[in-house]
Amino acid sequence: QVQLVEYGGGLVQAGGSLRLSCTASGRTLSNYAMGWFRQAPGKEREFVAAISTGGGSTNYADSVKGRFTISRDNAKNTMYLQMNSLKPEDTAVYYCAADRVYSSRTVVISGRQYEYWGQGTQVTASS
């Protein structure tokens, strides 16, 4: 019902910036909580950031707090992740996710809760 596609990954030097985008088709995202997750080789998928349906509430993993900013533009059916001051440990495949919710305040941080996932985009921060 919801198809998600990530854009914006790439190779950058440590300390650089990237902006990831996640665009949805099939349904409007106005009633979906959304989030970003990442998975590095040999590691489990981990939570990065999440945002409520209208963007009024957000949550971040401690490892990215102060460096990454999640946002969304429901008119464009798109979610963003602005990544600044990238570190080598940020290197991973980044996935966007969406979950239908019934409260505008809901922020979903558990990957197990999300129903829809994108295919992922590679982010590499080199020393």
Side-chain angles (χ1 to χ4, degrees):
Q1 292 184 347
V2 177
Q3 296 82 45
L4 305 172
V5 179
E6 301 95 336
Y7 297 98
L11 174 64
V12 298
Q13 285 287 102
S17 298
L18 285 173
R19 188 178 77 156
L20 304 183
S21 301
C22 173
T23 298
S25 62
R27 299 290 175 91
T28 177
L29 291 180
S30 61
N31 298 124
Y32 289 80
M34 300 191 70
W36 289 97
F37 294 77
R38 66 188 183 188
Q39 187 167 25
K43 298 183 65 178
E44 295 182 354
R45 180 186 62 197
E46 65 175 349
F47 168 74
V48 176
I51 191 166
S52 59
T53 57
S57 183
T58 60
N59 195 32
Y60 296 90
D62 288 342
S63 60
V64 307
K65 199 170 298 181
R67 300 187 298 121
F68 291 9
T69 303
I70 188 171
S71 62
R72 65 192 295 164
D73 185 342
N74 287 341
K76 296 182 178 180
N77 243 23
T78 300
M79 176 181 64
Y80 305 95
L81 184 68
Q82 178 66 48
M83 305 184 293
N84 298 327
S85 301
L86 282 161
K87 303 175 180 180
E89 51 262 45
D90 295 318
T91 295
V93 176
Y94 283 70
Y95 299 90
C96 69
D99 191 56
R100 182 74 163 86
V101 296
Y102 298 92
S103 171
S104 62
R105 304 187 309 276
T106 300
V107 177
V108 179
I109 63 173
S110 172
R112 295 185 297 273
Q113 184 65 44
Y114 283 99
E115 182 175 4
Y116 302 104
W117 293 84
Q119 83 291 341
T121 186
Q122 177 71 47
V123 171
T124 302
S126 62
S127 300

